[in-house]
Amino acid sequence: RFSAATRLKALVSTGGRNVQAACDWLFSHVDDPFLDEPLPREFVLYLRPSGPLLHQLSHFWQQSRLACGKNKAHNIFPHITLCQFFMCEDGKVEALCEALQATVNRWRGRFPSPLRLELYTSSNFIGLFVEEQVAEVLKVFAADFASEAAAKAGGGPRVGGQCSSNVRLSNVHVEPHKKQLHVTLAYHFQANHLPTLEKLAKGIDVSLGCDWLSVLYSRDIRFANHETLRVMYPYTPQNEDELELAPGDFVFMSPMEQNNTSEGWVYGTSHSTGLSGLLPENYISRADECDTWVLHGSVLSHTDFFVRLDMIPGLHSGTMHDNGKLQKKKSEGMTLFVCRHGERMDVVFGKHWLSQCFDAKGRYVRTNLNMPPSLPQRSGGYRDYDKDSPITVFGSTQARLVGEALLESNTMIDFVYSSPSLRCVQTAHNILRGLQQDGKMKIRVEPGLFEWTKWVSGTSLPAWLSSADLAAANLSVDTTYRPHIPLNKLAVSESYDTYISRSFQVTREILADCKGNNVLIVAHASSLEACTRQMQGLNPQNSKDFVQVVRKIPYLGFCACEEQGETGVWQLVDPPILPLTHGPNHSFNWRETLLQD
């Protein structure tokens, strides 16, 4: 039986991610000599870019690494430092997150937008500096957070807006960043790499749109000055002083502990178990410092400055009770969620539902309570619904239930993408309603997510509603989004290999655009397989087996795929929500049933 302090440590060490993650952490650290030690974690507050600017920065990261190798900037994702690393004990993490929430609420409408950035280069540093006046506003925001943190944790009354250089949070010191605010692009690089890096940096268009996320991360204080290494191959210890290795794990290595090791061997500590020992050097590779950090909160920062979702698992919403069981959960790190659309009209009411619901003048009247009260107008006429069916009322309810479950589980969704099919867009919209994000978060309609076109009847693809028409129908659609695969690139009756390649391509490009953020794709039954299988490094199934898998996926079938650190390796994991099951409900005619002779 674990102590209350140890259970709390498990919650904080996993960011309240989910029940299984915290339990797994506890049981994998059973032999960790520091398991019951009351060690604080180190926290930091950053601004992280998202959207088009993040895509350009990620491209720069990739190109600079290929051209010049890894430099110090690659150890951490693109960011602006608002507060330096500071220590916080586990019992005060909830207050820390509440402080960020309160600061955000107070800054609603005051956050500068856009953040103007200017390129700066020197012999050993390249970065994008925040324009001075805007930077001063950000520093006031950071100081306000530090003061609020002190007040929330009982460290004295908050003095809003005062830029204290060292604000006390009981035994925690939150220090706002004093130097010039900037996004580091490269530093500690070889002198001969400067021309190449400078040329790549000048290719970044800083005028592109960007939503800035205020993010709160933590790291294990014991390994702050250690090198982070990634385990590439499994290793079973041959001697008592050796460390067992599992691919995907990380190892922390201190240069000071390598003095007495044999050639070809190093001494390190496992991230997943807390155990230390010797390990073969050729079984590991260098990783980025931030690969093992824990995300505790993410807030969207712009002129309306609203909370993207609940901050962190406040321990009130992710609690381990005295019986040792965890309640509720929240996702951490980059996760891809893929969801099938809700119940569709043409399946429930048959292909002839159009003739039942539309009169000669094209006016819609529902003939069943499970039919929506109204439908969007279509420029091509109501016959376009034949290939582009809407969802039923129950389909909308299914989607809203999924959104409510995601909200209750504190699961973060940062970006939502949808197939152009109306049933998928309506499903995504209703999931956002359940998440209480409709009108705040916009759906990116991506034609590349449409199902295998071989399954479309006839000789033409559906005449989908445009993003403007969808928005006019009060669906929360991003009308400025530019698709990765435009409509004119889709072909009728494409081959299976073409469909699988298309799905893999568009998924990779979506994830690259949203690097570091959680993505929800709402598409078709086939998408759960097509958008995740190759991401896991698996070969596509043959078409026959693929069809058998697709047949088993119900409406609102939901799966989750997590990136393992920043390795580019993905793995299917348990979704953060329960499955949704329902039974058939046949049409009821009271006359035929009750009026019997």
Side-chain angles (χ1 to χ4, degrees):
R1 180 166 175 168
F2 299 104
S3 69
T6 303
R7 297 197 298 269
L8 182 60
K9 176 182 281 191
L11 280 170
V12 174
S13 298
T14 57
R17 176 170 139 195
N18 57 46
V19 174
Q20 195 62 51
C23 289
D24 287 349
W25 189 94
L26 275 174
F27 290 110
S28 67
H29 283 76
V30 166
D31 298 320
D32 185 344
F34 292 92
L35 178 62
D36 296 317
E37 291 292 322
L39 296 174
R41 292 182 68 85
E42 280 194 319
F43 288 76
V44 68
L45 182 65
Y46 287 158
L47 278 183
R48 287 194 66 174
S50 64
L53 179 59
L54 175 61
H55 179 71
Q56 292 230 354
L57 291 173
S58 299
H59 182 71
F60 170 83
W61 242 244
Q62 180 184 32
Q63 294 301 310
S64 62
R65 205 162 184 167
L66 288 172
C68 306
K70 184 176 180 179
N71 64 67
K72 287 286 187 178
H74 290 120
N75 274 328
I76 305 175
F77 44 75
H79 67 278
I80 297 172
T81 302
L82 292 181
C83 292
Q84 302 287 0
F85 272 100
F86 58 90
M87 290 184 290
C88 180
E89 59 195 57
D90 294 341
K92 293 175 182 174
V93 172
E94 181 178 6
L96 194 65
C97 296
E98 289 177 352
L100 186 54
Q101 174 87 65
T103 307
V104 165
N105 291 340
R106 192 163 49 251
W107 274 71
R108 194 180 303 276
R110 295 167 52 196
F111 200 87
S113 178
L115 297 189
R116 292 185 291 275
L117 301 172
E118 298 175 354
L119 179 64
Y120 171 82
T121 63
S122 68
S123 60
N124 61 1
F125 176 88
I126 301 175
L128 299 172
F129 278 77
V130 182
E131 191 270 333
E132 187 174 353
Q133 289 184 331
V134 174
E136 290 305 313
V137 176
L138 296 182
K139 288 180 180 179
V140 174
F141 166 73
D144 200 17
F145 160 70
S147 297
E148 187 69 40
K152 291 287 184 185
R158 185 190 68 81
V159 183
Q162 287 191 1
C163 189
S164 171
S165 61
N166 205 16
V167 182
R168 181 175 290 272
L169 175 60
S170 186
N171 60 337
V172 177
H173 298 276
V174 182
E175 185 175 351
H177 194 63
K178 300 175 189 175
K179 298 180 180 178
Q180 288 180 287
L181 301 186
H182 62 275
V183 178
T184 300
L185 298 179
Y187 75 104
H188 283 198
F189 48 81
Q190 297 179 25
N192 61 325
H193 290 158
L194 177 60
T196 300
L197 293 171
E198 190 172 21
K199 181 180 179 181
L200 290 170
K202 288 179 179 178
I204 299 173
D205 185 355
V206 296
S207 66
L208 288 176
C210 179
D211 286 334
W212 290 89
L213 295 162
S214 295
V215 291
L216 192 62
Y217 280 90
S218 75
R219 66 185 182 188
D220 192 320
I221 192 173
R222 293 176 294 163
F223 308 117
N225 297 313
H226 287 51
E227 184 175 3
T228 305
L229 304 164
R230 181 180 295 110
V231 176
M232 304 300 294
Y233 310 105
Y235 178 75
T236 302
Q238 306 298 312
N239 299 289
E240 290 185 358
D241 60 349
E242 294 175 2
L243 183 66
E244 183 175 2
L245 300 181
D249 190 13
F250 294 92
V251 172
F252 300 110
M253 186 183 74
S254 170
M256 303 296 293
E257 296 174 328
Q258 309 310 316
N259 297 331
N260 299 320
T261 58
S262 303
E263 185 176 355
W265 291 77
V266 295
Y267 187 85
T269 302
S270 165
H271 173 251
S272 65
T273 67
L275 298 175
S276 301
L278 293 169
L279 57 137
E281 190 173 12
N282 59 345
Y283 279 52
I284 53 179
S285 65
R286 292 176 64 185
D288 296 337
E289 179 186 342
C290 62
D291 283 346
T292 59
W293 291 2
V294 176
L295 175 67
H296 291 276
S298 180
V299 182
L300 182 62
S301 311
H302 58 31
T303 51
D304 292 328
F305 209 22
F306 62 91
V307 178
R308 176 64 68 124
L309 276 179
D310 287 350
M311 289 306 308
I312 179 175
L315 303 178
H316 61 278
S317 62
T319 304
M320 181 176 278
H321 296 294
D322 289 337
N323 61 10
K325 292 184 178 180
L326 283 161
Q327 303 293 326
K328 294 194 179 181
K329 46 194 172 180
K330 175 182 183 292
S331 64
E332 178 230 357
M334 191 173 188
T335 305
L336 169 66
F337 301 106
V338 187
C339 181
R340 187 191 178 190
H341 58 76
E343 180 182 84
R344 49 192 285 182
M345 286 272 283
D346 55 350
V347 172
V348 175
F349 298 106
K351 290 291 184 181
H352 301 294
W353 74 274
L354 290 177
S355 60
Q356 299 171 19
C357 297
F358 288 91
D359 62 19
K361 295 183 178 180
R363 292 175 296 196
Y364 169 76
V365 178
R366 68 175 178 174
T367 59
N368 189 285
L369 287 178
N370 196 25
M371 294 178 173
S374 62
L375 292 175
Q377 293 292 320
R378 307 191 76 124
S379 57
Y382 72 91
R383 289 292 176 189
D384 284 347
Y385 278 117
D386 186 43
K387 287 187 177 182
D388 189 26
S389 175
I391 58 176
T392 62
V393 172
F394 186 66
S396 299
T397 304
Q398 289 173 314
R400 193 186 73 248
L401 287 173
V402 167
E404 290 173 353
L406 290 169
L407 179 64
E408 183 181 356
S409 67
N410 293 322
T411 301
M412 265 185 172
I413 302 294
D414 298 296
F415 295 97
V416 179
Y417 287 78
S418 171
S419 159
S421 294
L422 178 60
R423 58 189 181 274
C424 299
V425 179
Q426 289 178 320
T427 300
H429 176 80
N430 281 282
I431 289 176
L432 289 178
R433 283 183 60 203
L435 275 166
Q436 299 179 13
Q437 293 295 305
D438 53 316
K440 299 176 182 176
M441 197 180 302
K442 299 293 185 181
I443 303 162
R444 296 177 172 181
V445 179
E446 174 54 62
L449 293 172
F450 184 58
E451 64 186 350
W452 189 5
T453 63
K454 180 181 177 181
W455 291 338
V456 177
S457 61
T459 58
S460 62
L461 295 175
W464 291 296
L465 289 162
S466 68
S467 292
D469 289 338
L470 292 168
N474 296 317
L475 294 169
S476 188
V477 169
D478 183 354
T479 56
T480 66
Y481 175 67
R482 298 181 63 181
H484 290 281
I485 299 179
L487 292 174
N488 59 13
K489 296 297 183 181
L490 297 181
V492 181
S493 298
E494 66 187 342
S495 68
Y496 172 67
D497 289 342
T498 300
Y499 167 64
I500 291 298
S501 297
R502 164 167 64 86
S503 299
F504 183 37
Q505 174 194 340
V506 75
T507 303
R508 284 188 302 175
E509 291 179 0
I510 285 172
L511 294 174
D513 274 356
C514 303
K515 189 67 175 175
N517 295 283
N518 289 351
V519 176
L520 170 63
I521 288 176
V522 181
H524 306 271
S526 57
S527 305
L528 277 73
E529 169 79 1
C531 293
T532 63
R533 184 172 180 85
Q534 287 176 275
M535 292 302 300
Q536 301 171 75
L538 303 174
N539 292 324
Q541 301 197 72
N542 61 57
S543 59
K544 184 177 179 181
D545 291 339
F546 172 77
V547 171
Q548 293 305 313
V549 170
V550 172
R551 286 176 175 170
K552 298 176 183 178
I553 297 173
Y555 294 127
L556 270 300
F558 193 97
C559 71
C561 197
E562 277 188 2
E563 185 182 20
Q564 306 303 296
E566 292 190 357
T567 62
V569 177
W570 292 73
Q571 181 177 336
L572 285 174
V573 296
D574 287 334
I577 61 175
L578 297 172
L580 175 65
T581 306
H582 62 89
N585 189 49
H586 300 293
S587 177
F588 173 62
N589 187 312
W590 68 273
R591 291 181 182 275
E592 295 177 359
T593 305
L594 302 178
L595 288 182
Q596 298 181 8
D597 295 333

